[in-house]
Coordinates of all heavy atoms in Angstrom, one line a residue:
H1 N 0.8 -1.2 0.0 CA 0.0 0.0 0.0 C 0.9 1.3 0.0 O 0.5 2.3 -0.6 CB -0.9 0.0 1.2 CG -2.0 -1.1 1.1 ND1 -1.8 -2.3 0.7 CD2 -3.3 -1.0 1.4 CE1 -2.9 -3.0 0.7 NE2 -3.9 -2.2 1.1
T2 N 2.0 1.2 0.7 CA 2.9 2.4 0.8 C 3.4 2.7 -0.6 O 3.4 3.9 -1.0 CB 4.0 2.1 1.7 OG1 3.5 1.8 3.0 CG2 4.9 3.3 1.8
E3 N 3.8 1.7 -1.4 CA 4.3 2.0 -2.7 C 3.2 2.5 -3.6 O 3.4 3.4 -4.5 CB 4.9 0.7 -3.3 CG 6.2 0.3 -2.7 CD 7.2 1.5 -2.8 OE1 7.4 2.0 -3.9 OE2 7.9 1.8 -1.8
D4 N 2.0 2.0 -3.5 CA 0.8 2.5 -4.3 C 0.6 4.0 -3.9 O 0.3 4.8 -4.8 CB -0.4 1.7 -4.0 CG -0.4 0.3 -4.6 OD1 0.5 0.1 -5.5 OD2 -1.1 -0.5 -4.1
A5 N 0.6 4.3 -2.6 CA 0.4 5.7 -2.2 C 1.5 6.6 -2.8 O 1.2 7.7 -3.2 CB 0.3 5.8 -0.7
F6 N 2.7 6.1 -2.7 CA 3.8 6.9 -3.2 C 3.7 7.2 -4.7 O 3.8 8.3 -5.2 CB 5.2 6.2 -3.0 CG 6.3 6.9 -3.4 CD1 6.8 8.0 -2.7 CD2 7.0 6.6 -4.6 CE1 7.9 8.7 -3.1 CE2 8.1 7.3 -5.0 CZ 8.6 8.4 -4.3
A7 N 3.4 6.1 -5.5 CA 3.2 6.3 -6.9 C 2.0 7.2 -7.3 O 2.1 8.1 -8.1 CB 3.0 4.9 -7.6
S8 N 0.9 7.1 -6.5 CA -0.2 8.0 -6.7 C 0.1 9.4 -6.4 O -0.3 10.3 -7.2 CB -1.4 7.5 -5.9 OG -1.9 6.3 -6.3
A9 N 0.9 9.7 -5.3 CA 1.2 11.0 -5.0 C 2.2 11.6 -6.0 O 2.0 12.8 -6.4 CB 1.9 11.0 -3.6
Q10 N 3.1 10.8 -6.5 CA 4.0 11.3 -7.5 C 3.3 11.7 -8.8 O 3.6 12.7 -9.5 CB 5.1 10.3 -7.8 CG 6.0 10.1 -6.6 CD 6.6 11.4 -6.0 OE1 7.2 12.2 -6.6 NE2 6.3 11.5 -4.7
A11 N 2.3 10.9 -9.2 CA 1.5 11.1 -10.4 C 0.7 12.4 -10.2 O 0.6 13.3 -11.1 CB 0.6 10.0 -10.7
A12 N 0.1 12.6 -9.0 CA -0.7 13.8 -8.7 C 0.2 15.0 -8.7 O -0.2 16.1 -9.2 CB -1.4 13.6 -7.4
L13 N 1.4 14.9 -8.3 CA 2.3 16.0 -8.2 C 2.7 16.5 -9.7 O 2.8 17.6 -9.9 CB 3.6 15.6 -7.5 CG 4.5 16.7 -7.1 CD1 3.9 17.8 -6.3 CD2 5.7 16.1 -6.3
R14 N 2.8 15.5 -10.6 CA 3.1 15.9 -12.0 C 1.9 16.6 -12.6 O 2.0 17.5 -13.4 CB 3.4 14.6 -12.8 CG 4.8 14.1 -12.5 CD 5.2 13.0 -13.5 NE 4.4 11.8 -13.3 CZ 4.6 10.8 -12.4 NH1 5.6 10.9 -11.6 NH2 3.9 9.8 -12.4
R15 N 0.6 16.2 -12.2 CA -0.6 16.8 -12.7 C -0.9 18.1 -12.1 O -1.5 19.0 -12.8 CB -1.8 15.9 -12.6 CG -1.8 14.7 -13.5 CD -3.1 13.9 -13.5 NE -3.5 13.5 -12.1 CZ -3.1 12.4 -11.5 NH1 -2.3 11.6 -12.1 NH2 -3.6 12.1 -10.3
A16 N -0.6 18.3 -10.8 CA -1.0 19.5 -10.1 C 0.2 20.0 -9.2 O 0.1 19.9 -8.0 CB -2.2 19.2 -9.3
P17 N 1.3 20.4 -9.8 CA 2.4 20.8 -9.0 C 2.3 22.0 -8.1 O 3.1 22.3 -7.3 CB 3.5 21.0 -10.1 CG 2.8 21.4 -11.3 CD 1.5 20.7 -11.2
H18 N 1.2 22.7 -8.2 CA 1.0 23.9 -7.4 C -0.2 23.8 -6.4 O -0.6 24.8 -5.9 CB 0.7 25.1 -8.3 CG 1.9 25.4 -9.3 ND1 3.1 25.7 -8.8 CD2 2.0 25.3 -10.6 CE1 3.9 25.8 -9.9 NE2 3.2 25.6 -11.0
S19 N -0.6 22.6 -6.3 CA -1.7 22.3 -5.3 C -1.1 22.0 -3.9 O -0.3 21.1 -3.8 CB -2.5 21.1 -5.7 OG -3.3 20.6 -4.7
I20 N -1.5 22.8 -2.9 CA -0.9 22.6 -1.6 C -1.3 21.2 -1.1 O -0.6 20.6 -0.3 CB -1.3 23.7 -0.6 CG1 -2.8 23.9 -0.4 CG2 -0.7 25.1 -1.1 CD1 -3.1 24.8 0.7
W21 N -2.5 20.8 -1.4 CA -3.0 19.5 -1.0 C -2.1 18.4 -1.5 O -1.7 17.4 -0.8 CB -4.4 19.2 -1.4 CG -5.4 20.2 -0.7 CD1 -5.9 21.3 -1.2 CD2 -5.8 20.1 0.7 NE1 -6.6 22.0 -0.3 CE2 -6.6 21.3 0.9 CE3 -5.6 19.2 1.7 CZ2 -7.2 21.5 2.1 CZ3 -6.2 19.5 2.9 CH2 -7.0 20.6 3.1
V22 N -1.8 18.5 -2.8 CA -0.9 17.5 -3.5 C 0.5 17.6 -2.9 O 1.1 16.5 -2.6 CB -0.9 17.7 -5.0 CG1 0.1 16.8 -5.7 CG2 -2.3 17.3 -5.6
L23 N 1.0 18.8 -2.7 CA 2.3 18.9 -2.1 C 2.4 18.3 -0.8 O 3.4 17.6 -0.4 CB 2.8 20.4 -2.1 CG 3.0 21.0 -3.5 CD1 3.0 22.5 -3.4 CD2 4.4 20.5 -4.0
K24 N 1.4 18.5 0.0 CA 1.3 17.9 1.4 C 1.3 16.4 1.3 O 2.1 15.7 2.0 CB 0.1 18.4 2.2 CG -0.3 17.7 3.4 CD 0.7 17.8 4.5 CE 0.2 17.3 5.9 NZ -0.2 15.9 6.0
A25 N 0.4 15.8 0.5 CA 0.3 14.4 0.3 C 1.6 13.8 -0.2 O 2.0 12.7 0.3 CB -0.9 14.0 -0.6
A26 N 2.2 14.4 -1.2 CA 3.5 13.9 -1.7 C 4.6 14.0 -0.7 O 5.4 13.0 -0.5 CB 3.9 14.7 -3.0
G27 N 4.6 15.0 0.1 CA 5.6 15.2 1.2 C 5.4 14.1 2.2 O 6.4 13.5 2.7
D28 N 4.1 13.8 2.5 CA 3.9 12.7 3.5 C 4.4 11.3 3.0 O 4.8 10.6 3.8 CB 2.4 12.6 3.7 CG 1.8 13.8 4.5 OD1 2.6 14.6 5.0 OD2 0.6 13.9 4.6
T29 N 4.3 11.1 1.7 CA 4.8 9.8 1.2 C 6.3 9.7 1.3 O 6.8 8.7 1.6 CB 4.3 9.5 -0.2 OG1 4.9 10.5 -1.1 CG2 2.8 9.5 -0.4
W30 N 7.0 10.8 1.1 CA 8.4 10.9 1.4 C 8.7 10.7 2.8 O 9.7 10.0 3.2 CB 9.1 12.1 0.8 CG 9.2 12.1 -0.7 CD1 8.4 12.8 -1.6 CD2 10.2 11.4 -1.4 NE1 8.9 12.6 -2.8 CE2 9.9 11.7 -2.8 CE3 11.2 10.5 -1.1 CZ2 10.7 11.1 -3.8 CZ3 11.9 10.0 -2.1 CH2 11.7 10.3 -3.5
R31 N 8.0 11.4 3.7 CA 8.1 11.2 5.1 C 8.0 9.8 5.5 O 8.7 9.2 6.3 CB 7.1 12.1 5.9 CG 7.3 12.1 7.4 CD 6.0 12.4 8.1 NE 5.0 11.5 7.8 CZ 3.7 11.8 7.6 NH1 3.3 13.0 7.7 NH2 2.9 10.8 7.3
D32 N 7.0 9.1 5.0 CA 6.7 7.7 5.3 C 7.9 6.8 4.9 O 8.0 5.7 5.4 CB 5.4 7.2 4.6 CG 4.2 7.9 5.2 OD1 4.3 8.5 6.3 OD2 3.1 7.8 4.6
R33 N 8.7 7.3 3.9 CA 9.9 6.5 3.5 C 11.1 7.0 4.3 O 12.2 6.6 4.0 CB 10.1 6.8 2.0 CG 9.1 6.2 1.1 CD 9.3 6.7 -0.3 NE 8.8 5.7 -1.2 CZ 9.4 5.2 -2.3 NH1 10.6 5.6 -2.6 NH2 8.8 4.3 -3.0
D34 N 10.9 7.8 5.3 CA 12.0 8.3 6.2 C 12.9 9.3 5.4 O 14.1 9.5 5.8 CB 12.8 7.2 6.8 CG 11.9 6.4 7.8 OD1 11.0 7.0 8.4 OD2 12.2 5.2 8.0
D35 N 12.4 9.8 4.3 CA 13.2 10.8 3.6 C 12.7 12.2 3.9 O 11.9 12.8 3.2 CB 13.1 10.6 2.1 CG 14.1 11.5 1.3 OD1 14.5 12.5 1.8 OD2 14.5 11.1 0.2
Y36 N 13.1 12.7 5.1 CA 12.5 13.9 5.7 C 13.0 15.1 4.9 O 12.3 16.1 4.8 CB 12.9 14.0 7.1 CG 12.5 12.8 7.9 CD1 13.4 11.9 8.4 CD2 11.1 12.6 8.1 CE1 12.9 10.7 9.1 CE2 10.6 11.4 8.7 CZ 11.6 10.5 9.2 OH 11.1 9.4 9.9
A37 N 14.2 15.1 4.3 CA 14.7 16.2 3.5 C 13.8 16.4 2.3 O 13.4 17.6 2.0 CB 16.1 16.0 3.1
Q38 N 13.4 15.4 1.6 CA 12.6 15.5 0.4 C 11.2 15.9 0.8 O 10.5 16.8 0.2 CB 12.5 14.2 -0.4 CG 11.7 14.3 -1.6 CD 12.2 15.2 -2.6 OE1 13.4 15.5 -2.7 NE2 11.4 15.8 -3.5
A39 N 10.7 15.4 1.9 CA 9.4 15.8 2.5 C 9.4 17.3 2.8 O 8.4 18.0 2.4 CB 9.0 15.0 3.7
L40 N 10.4 17.7 3.4 CA 10.5 19.1 3.8 C 10.5 20.0 2.6 O 9.9 21.1 2.6 CB 11.8 19.3 4.6 CG 12.1 20.7 5.2 CD1 11.0 21.1 6.1 CD2 13.4 20.8 5.9
R41 N 11.2 19.6 1.5 CA 11.2 20.4 0.3 C 9.8 20.6 -0.3 O 9.4 21.7 -0.7 CB 12.1 19.8 -0.8 CG 13.6 20.0 -0.5 CD 14.5 19.6 -1.7 NE 14.6 18.2 -1.8 CZ 15.5 17.5 -1.1 NH1 16.4 18.1 -0.3 NH2 15.6 16.2 -1.3
L42 N 9.0 19.5 -0.3 CA 7.7 19.7 -0.8 C 6.8 20.5 0.2 O 6.0 21.3 -0.3 CB 7.1 18.3 -1.0 CG 7.7 17.5 -2.1 CD1 7.3 16.0 -2.1 CD2 7.4 18.1 -3.5
Y43 N 6.9 20.3 1.5 CA 6.2 21.2 2.4 C 6.5 22.6 2.2 O 5.6 23.5 2.2 CB 6.4 20.7 3.8 CG 6.0 19.3 4.2 CD1 6.8 18.6 5.1 CD2 5.0 18.7 3.5 CE1 6.4 17.3 5.5 CE2 4.6 17.4 3.9 CZ 5.4 16.7 4.8 OH 5.0 15.4 5.2
E44 N 7.8 22.9 2.0 CA 8.2 24.3 1.8 C 7.7 24.9 0.5 O 7.4 26.1 0.4 CB 9.7 24.4 2.0 CG 10.1 24.2 3.5 CD 11.6 24.4 3.8 OE1 12.4 24.3 2.8 OE2 11.9 24.6 5.0
R45 N 7.6 24.0 -0.5 CA 7.0 24.5 -1.8 C 5.6 24.9 -1.6 O 5.1 25.9 -2.1 CB 7.1 23.4 -2.9 CG 8.4 23.4 -3.6 CD 8.5 22.2 -4.6 NE 7.4 22.2 -5.5 CZ 7.2 21.2 -6.4 NH1 8.0 20.1 -6.4 NH2 6.2 21.2 -7.2
G46 N 4.9 24.1 -0.8 CA 3.5 24.4 -0.5 C 3.4 25.7 0.4 O 2.5 26.5 0.1
L47 N 4.3 25.9 1.3 CA 4.3 27.1 2.1 C 4.6 28.3 1.3 O 4.2 29.4 1.7 CB 5.2 26.9 3.3 CG 4.7 26.0 4.4 CD1 5.8 25.6 5.4 CD2 3.5 26.6 5.1
A48 N 5.4 28.2 0.3 CA 5.6 29.3 -0.6 C 4.3 29.8 -1.3 O 4.2 31.0 -1.5 CB 6.7 29.0 -1.7
L49 N 3.4 28.9 -1.5 CA 2.1 29.2 -2.1 C 1.1 29.7 -1.0 O 0.2 30.5 -1.3 CB 1.6 28.0 -2.8 CG 2.4 27.5 -4.0 CD1 1.9 26.1 -4.4 CD2 2.4 28.5 -5.1
A50 N 1.2 29.1 0.2 CA 0.2 29.4 1.2 C 1.0 29.4 2.6 O 1.0 28.5 3.3 CB -0.9 28.3 1.2
P51 N 1.6 30.6 2.8 CA 2.5 30.6 4.0 C 1.9 30.4 5.3 O 2.5 30.1 6.3 CB 3.1 32.0 3.9 CG 2.6 32.7 2.7 CD 1.6 31.8 2.0
D52 N 0.6 30.6 5.4 CA -0.1 30.5 6.7 C -0.9 29.2 6.9 O -1.7 29.0 7.8 CB -1.1 31.7 6.9 CG -0.4 33.0 7.0 OD1 0.8 33.0 7.5 OD2 -0.9 34.0 6.5
D53 N -0.7 28.3 5.9 CA -1.4 27.0 6.0 C -1.0 26.1 7.1 O 0.2 25.7 7.2 CB -1.3 26.2 4.7 CG -2.1 25.0 4.6 OD1 -3.3 25.1 4.2 OD2 -1.6 23.9 5.0
T54 N -1.9 25.9 8.1 CA -1.5 25.2 9.3 C -1.2 23.7 9.0 O -0.3 23.2 9.7 CB -2.6 25.3 10.4 OG1 -3.8 24.8 9.8 CG2 -2.8 26.7 10.9
M55 N -1.8 23.1 8.1 CA -1.5 21.7 7.7 C -0.1 21.6 7.3 O 0.7 20.7 7.7 CB -2.5 21.3 6.6 CG -2.2 20.0 5.9 SD -3.3 19.7 4.5 CE -2.7 20.9 3.3
L56 N 0.4 22.5 6.4 CA 1.8 22.5 5.9 C 2.8 22.9 7.0 O 3.8 22.3 7.1 CB 1.9 23.4 4.7 CG 1.3 22.8 3.4 CD1 1.2 23.9 2.4 CD2 2.1 21.6 2.9
L57 N 2.4 23.9 7.8 CA 3.3 24.3 8.9 C 3.5 23.2 9.9 O 4.6 22.9 10.3 CB 2.7 25.5 9.6 CG 2.7 26.8 8.8 CD1 1.8 27.9 9.5 CD2 4.2 27.3 8.7
R58 N 2.5 22.4 10.2 CA 2.6 21.3 11.1 C 3.4 20.2 10.5 O 4.3 19.6 11.2 CB 1.2 20.8 11.5 CG 1.1 19.9 12.7 CD -0.3 19.7 13.2 NE -1.4 19.8 12.2 CZ -2.2 20.8 12.1 NH1 -2.1 21.8 12.9 NH2 -3.2 20.8 11.2
A59 N 3.2 19.9 9.2 CA 4.0 18.8 8.6 C 5.5 19.2 8.5 O 6.3 18.4 8.7 CB 3.4 18.6 7.1
R60 N 5.7 20.5 8.2 CA 7.1 21.0 8.1 C 7.8 20.9 9.5 O 8.9 20.4 9.6 CB 7.1 22.5 7.7 CG 8.5 23.1 7.6 CD 8.4 24.5 7.2 NE 9.7 25.1 7.1 CZ 10.3 25.7 8.1 NH1 9.8 25.7 9.3 NH2 11.5 26.2 8.0
A61 N 7.1 21.2 10.6 CA 7.6 21.1 11.9 C 8.0 19.6 12.3 O 9.0 19.4 12.8 CB 6.7 21.7 12.9
K62 N 7.1 18.7 11.9 CA 7.3 17.3 12.2 C 8.5 16.8 11.4 O 9.4 16.1 11.9 CB 6.1 16.5 11.8 CG 5.0 16.7 12.8 CD 3.8 15.8 12.4 CE 2.6 16.0 13.3 NZ 1.4 15.3 12.9
A63 N 8.7 17.2 10.1 CA 9.8 16.8 9.3 C 11.1 17.3 9.9 O 12.1 16.6 10.0 CB 9.6 17.3 7.9
L64 N 11.1 18.6 10.3 CA 12.3 19.2 10.9 C 12.7 18.4 12.2 O 13.8 18.2 12.4 CB 12.1 20.7 11.2 CG 12.1 21.6 10.0 CD1 11.6 23.0 10.4 CD2 13.5 21.6 9.4
A65 N 11.7 18.1 13.0 CA 11.9 17.4 14.2 C 12.6 16.0 14.0 O 13.5 15.6 14.7 CB 10.6 17.2 15.0
M66 N 12.1 15.3 13.0 CA 12.6 14.0 12.6 C 14.0 14.1 12.1 O 14.8 13.3 12.3 CB 11.7 13.3 11.6 CG 10.3 13.0 12.1 SD 10.3 12.0 13.6 CE 10.9 10.5 13.0
M67 N 14.3 15.2 11.4 CA 15.7 15.4 10.8 C 16.7 15.7 12.0 O 17.9 15.4 11.8 CB 15.7 16.6 9.8 CG 15.0 16.2 8.6 SD 14.8 17.6 7.4 CE 16.5 17.8 6.9
E68 N 16.2 16.2 13.1 CA 17.1 16.5 14.2 C 17.4 15.4 15.1 O 18.2 15.5 16.0 CB 16.5 17.7 15.0 CG 16.5 19.0 14.3 CD 15.8 20.1 15.0 OE1 15.4 19.9 16.2 OE2 15.6 21.2 14.5
R69 N 16.7 14.2 14.9 CA 16.9 13.1 15.7 C 18.3 12.5 15.5 O 18.9 12.5 14.6 CB 15.9 12.0 15.4 CG 14.5 12.4 15.8 CD 13.5 11.5 15.2 NE 13.0 10.6 16.2 CZ 12.5 9.4 16.0 NH1 12.5 9.0 14.8 NH2 12.0 8.7 16.9

């Protein structure tokens, strides 16, 4: 299921690269693979579009915390 979610998120990202929902979902799939740096890049792309989005701010904070472990 994880691989299916990853593939779906990557396909969605190609179709809608400026959707904050897609950027969050794609970032989450990278996070689930323990690639916090890639997840962070996607969350930050989303925050560039919607700087006050709490969903993305929370996801970014979690990724940063995991990178500091």
Side-chain angles (χ1 to χ4, degrees):
H1 291 44
T2 302
E3 287 304 312
D4 291 341
F6 181 78
S8 293
Q10 296 309 305
L13 192 55
R14 286 189 294 278
R15 286 191 306 274
H18 302 295
S19 165
I20 62 170
W21 295 99
V22 170
L23 289 163
K24 165 72 168 59
D28 290 350
T29 63
W30 283 105
R31 184 204 59 218
D32 292 345
R33 292 172 155 228
D34 296 331
D35 189 336
Y36 305 109
Q38 184 63 27
L40 185 61
R41 282 191 284 276
L42 291 170
Y43 299 148
E44 289 181 343
R45 278 178 52 190
L47 286 166
L49 299 169
D52 296 325
D53 185 84
T54 55
M55 170 186 69
L56 287 166
L57 288 167
R58 197 169 23 257
R60 181 181 179 272
K62 288 179 183 178
L64 286 170
M66 295 305 291
M67 291 173 70
E68 292 177 5
R69 292 167 103 206

